[in-house]
Each structure stands twice: as C-alpha cells, then as structure tokens.
C-alpha cells in the first residue's frame, strides 16, 4: 500500500520516491464450503471481505496459505476456473458501458461458448425472474443502479456456474429490486444447487438467503456457524413485555431481570439468558393478574453488532488456509 506524505513537499517526495508499507488484510482464515450452501460472509467495513472474495475469485494472489475451489487453485488456473464461477461486485461493473445491455450478454455468450439453446432458455428465465426485457436495449451507462445490477447478475449466471460470488449485490437498491435479486439467488440455488458466497451489510439479505454465516473481523475469522448459533452466542437479552390487569407501578424486582420500561399497565423486562424466560413468566403469572405477554429475541442487527464488537473467535470448519498481506 502506498503511503502518501502530507504537505506540498511531502506530496512531491511521494511522487518522486513513493513510500510503501505492508498491510495485512486477512490472516489465519480457514473454512470449507459444501455444494449448495449459501454463505453470508460478514464483517465491519475494512474487515477484509472483499479481499477474501477477490482471492476466492482468483483476482488476488495470497502471499501464503492455499485456496482450492471446485478442484482449481483460483489464482493459478484462472481460465479453467472462470468457467465454474460467476462474480458480481456491487460497486464495480462487468458490462460494456457504451453498448446496449443485451449486447453484453451476447458477448459473454461468445466468451463462455454458451450454446444458442441454453442462451435462449437462460434469457427466458432472466426475463421472468429479473425483468431484463424492460431495459435490454438501453445502453449500460443509462441504466439505473437496480437495472444494472439485474443485468450484472444475468451476465454472471449466463454460463450456469456452480459457484456464485457476490460482493454487496444489493447495495443501494430499492426494496423491490432487492427482493427480485434475492428470489433469483434462491431459485438458482434450489434448482441447480448453485453454491453462493455473498458479502452484505443488509440483515434482510442474511435472514432471507444465508444458511451459514462467517464473520471476519480485523482480517481474522470471528464466527462460523448458523444464524441460530450466532443468536445463541451473541444475544445479550431476551425481552418480555407483560400487560398487567392493574397498574404495574409498584411491581417489585424479579430475579434475573431488569425493568427496561414501564408505561401504564405494561412493563418491559430484559431477561439475561433464554433459559430464565420460563421461570420469569411463571413467577409473574403466579403472582399477578396478567392480560398479555410477548417475548422478543434480540433482532439480528443487534446480534451481529454484538458479534462485531466482541471479536470472539469461534471458527469451526478448517480446510482452506489463507494469509494475504
Ligand atoms: N488495494 C489495496 N491496497 C492496500 N490496502 C487495501 C487495498 N484494498 C483493501 N485494502 C485494505 O485491506 C483491508 C480490508 O479491505 P476490504 O476491502 O477487504 O474490506 P471489506 O471487508 O470489503 O470492507 P467493506 O465492508 O467496507 O467493503 C482494509 O484495511 C483496506 O484498507
Ligand atoms: Mg468490501
């Protein structure tokens, strides 16, 4: 990484003699992926997600460790490997900017040597799921972000790759386009067992799509497991909202709970651990007249925030080892 110096003299010096420092973007990352999994690769900004995706796609070469995907070493067997993967970077286009959108698909058909029958079938499917026909003849530079992202996804899947890498595929999109893209990913995964690895900062992407979550923090693996396991590990409090028949003003303190809020006959209790919920409810209903009880878990956004803040290591699967600096 080139380090720019400050001030006019510094800038001149940087120009003549650039000063480089080594930055370790990811290290000690190990995981294996089964066919058909949809993996959410999460982490705070700058955690190393895009770096990892670039290594998995063969764009970046790790300085140590090894990566094997579908029998290929991505950064060595690039041509062969390209046939088995699809890649979408939400912040970067792989379409030809000045051509009508459909021309990019036709160019990819030639590059990937897709048969005309398969091309026609895929186009029908893309039209149905992504509505490409609405803007197929518009030059790419004139497409809205949502239209372009749908076209990017079609271009990435035209050759029916077994693995799809998505780096923030829904960034900046409206709710309807996000839904279209999620449905598309799910449909391909269900019908063709396409393995998907995606990075996202959108919790609904994670809830709707991912059956496994990897969290990377400061370049290191912090979690590898299901959304349920993540919830168990990082839920700080369950919330019980009780509506009492009479005013709840004088309710005494209960074991394992905090009173978060009182309003009229309603009290919001925070319960430190899931296993206490039953005891707390039993105590309340045995002692008071209650008209309603609601139990709420921590929302996924707070759970992920807790995981990012904790930095706790819980890597489970160990096959791929990579160390990039
Ligand atoms: N080309 C580069 N040269 C030097 N350092 C880089 C380069 N690209 C990324 N980095 C650094 O590597 C680290 C990881 O960056 P990366 O882009 O992988 O993060 P990320 O997890 O994708 O973040 P975001 O959520 O913001 O997209 C950061 O500290 C970043 O500054
Ligand atoms: Mg990124």
């Amino acid at each position: 990484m080139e380090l720019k110096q400050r001030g006019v003299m510094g800038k001149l010096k940087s120009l003549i003699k650039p000063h480089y420092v080594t930055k370790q973007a990811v290290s000690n990352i190990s995981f294996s992926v089964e066919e058909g999994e949809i993996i959410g690769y999460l982490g705070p900004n700058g955690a190393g997600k895009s770096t990892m995706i670039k290594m998995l796609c063969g764009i970046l070469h790790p300085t140590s460790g090894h990566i094997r995907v579908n029998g290929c070493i991505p950064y060595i067997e690039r041509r062969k490997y390209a046939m088995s993967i699809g890649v979408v970077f939400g912040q970067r286009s792989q379409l030809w900017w000045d051509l009508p959108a459909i021309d990019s698909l036709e160019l990819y058909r030639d590059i990937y040597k897709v048969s005309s029958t398969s091309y026609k079938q895929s186009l029908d499917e893309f039209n149905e799921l992504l509505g490409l026909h609405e803007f197929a003849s518009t030059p790419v530079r004139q497409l809205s972000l949502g239209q372009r992202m749908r076209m990017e996804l079609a271009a990435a899947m035209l050759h029916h790759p077994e693995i799809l890498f998505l780096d923030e595929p829904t960034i900046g999109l409206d709710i309807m386009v996000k839904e279209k893209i999620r449905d598309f990913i799910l449909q391909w995964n269900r019908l063709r067992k396409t393995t998907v690895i995606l990075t996202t900062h959108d919790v609904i992407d994670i809830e709707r799509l991912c059956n496994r979550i990897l969290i990377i923090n400061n370049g290191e693996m912090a979690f590898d497991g299901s959304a349920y396991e993540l919830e168990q590990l990082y839920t700080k409090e369950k919330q019980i909202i009780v509506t009492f028949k009479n005013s709840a003003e004088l309710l005494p303190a209960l074991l394992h709970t905090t009173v978060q809020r009182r309003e009229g006959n309603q009290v919001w209790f925070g319960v430190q651990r899931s296993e206490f919920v039953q005891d707390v409810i039993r105590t309340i209903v045995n002692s008071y007249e209650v008209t309603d009880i609601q139990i709420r878990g921590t929302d996924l956004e707070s759970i992920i925030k807790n995981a990012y803040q904790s930095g706790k290591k819980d890597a489970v699967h160990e096959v791929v080892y990579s160390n990039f600096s």
Side-chain angles (χ1 to χ4, degrees):
M1 177 169 73
E2 189 183 338
L3 201 68
K4 297 277 182 202
Q5 296 186 46
R6 297 178 70 179
V8 179
M9 285 310 287
K11 284 200 171 59
L12 279 173
K13 264 192 208 159
S14 297
L15 211 62
I16 298 159
K17 194 174 176 221
H19 176 55
Y20 291 98
V21 291
T22 302
K23 158 115 195 153
Q24 192 165 60
V26 296
S27 85
N28 281 321
I29 305 261
S30 296
F31 62 94
S32 64
V33 178
E34 296 295 322
E35 184 191 9
E37 280 190 304
I38 304 186
I39 296 195
Y41 197 59
L42 316 182
N45 289 132
K49 303 178 295 295
S50 297
T51 304
M52 191 68 209
I53 295 280
K54 284 175 194 161
M55 286 194 286
L56 288 169
C57 295
I59 299 168
L60 284 179
H61 197 305
T63 47
S64 65
H66 60 264
I67 299 174
R68 187 173 286 274
V69 188
N70 221 12
C72 286
I73 299 171
Y75 37 89
I76 293 177
E77 298 157 274
R78 291 187 67 170
R79 195 177 283 259
K80 180 180 163 208
Y81 183 56
M83 296 306 287
S84 64
I85 62 164
V87 185
V88 175
F89 285 98
Q91 320 239 33
R92 216 173 274 174
S93 181
Q94 55 187 333
L95 306 172
W96 281 264
W97 212 234
D98 294 309
L99 300 180
I102 193 74
D103 287 7
S104 286
L105 288 197
E106 284 175 11
L107 282 165
Y108 277 115
R109 177 184 63 183
D110 293 342
I111 291 170
Y112 289 113
K113 298 185 175 41
V114 177
S115 75
S116 49
T117 325
S118 169
Y119 179 72
K120 212 181 152 309
Q121 276 172 2
S122 295
L123 214 54
D124 288 345
E125 197 171 338
F126 296 150
N127 282 336
E128 189 193 323
L129 294 172
L130 300 169
L132 295 195
H133 51 284
E134 296 161 21
F135 48 85
S137 53
T138 309
V140 172
R141 65 167 65 251
Q142 288 172 18
L143 295 180
S144 74
L145 182 62
Q147 292 168 335
R148 187 169 65 71
M149 285 311 293
R150 284 185 270 168
M151 197 49 92
E152 301 277 356
L153 205 51
M157 301 310 286
L158 194 63
H159 55 299
H160 293 208
E162 289 126 297
I163 304 148
L164 174 62
F165 295 106
L166 303 163
D167 194 1
E168 301 194 43
T170 57
I171 189 167
L173 306 183
D174 74 42
I175 299 162
M176 273 99 66
V177 177
K178 279 184 182 181
E179 275 306 301
K180 266 202 170 72
I181 286 183
R182 290 174 192 139
D183 288 343
F184 179 88
I185 296 167
L186 284 173
Q187 171 118 339
W188 275 67
N189 172 262
R190 270 190 216 122
L191 291 181
R192 300 182 175 90
K193 285 195 105 186
T194 311
T195 306
V196 183
I197 299 186
L198 80 142
T199 78
T200 184
H201 291 292
D202 184 322
V203 282
I204 302 173
D205 285 348
I206 304 161
E207 278 172 348
R208 289 261 286 120
L209 296 173
C210 304
N211 38 42
R212 180 169 152 209
I213 292 170
L214 303 181
I215 295 182
I216 179 174
N217 209 344
N218 295 318
E220 295 197 24
M221 190 73 93
F223 176 84
D224 179 351
S226 65
Y228 177 75
E229 285 163 338
L230 187 72
E231 189 188 329
Q232 294 299 307
L233 208 56
Y234 293 108
T235 294
K236 286 203 174 142
E237 270 192 338
K238 287 260 181 194
Q239 193 178 52
I240 304 177
I241 306 168
V242 184
T243 311
F244 293 93
K245 193 164 178 216
N246 303 308
S247 170
E249 288 297 322
L250 298 171
L251 192 78
L254 294 168
L255 203 59
H256 304 307
T257 64
T258 52
V259 173
Q260 298 173 335
R261 188 174 145 202
R262 289 171 196 264
E263 217 174 274
N265 289 4
Q266 260 188 332
V267 180
W268 281 254
F269 294 101
V271 182
Q272 289 140 14
R273 295 224 305 266
S274 306
E275 59 263 37
F276 297 145
V277 168
Q278 201 181 353
D279 281 346
V280 171
I281 291 177
R282 193 180 295 126
T283 309
I284 291 172
V285 294
N286 285 345
S287 317
Y288 301 92
E289 280 194 85
V290 168
T291 56
D292 188 38
I293 292 187
Q294 296 171 49
I295 304 169
R296 286 191 195 155
T298 312
D299 60 293
L300 187 57
E301 195 158 71
S302 310
I303 291 168
I304 291 171
K305 191 180 83 188
N306 293 343
Y308 287 180
Q309 285 170 342
S310 117
K312 182 177 164 63
K313 284 193 186 178
D314 185 37
V316 183
H317 307 262
E318 295 248 332
V319 171
V320 179
Y321 173 76
S322 160
N323 191 346
F324 170 67
S325 61

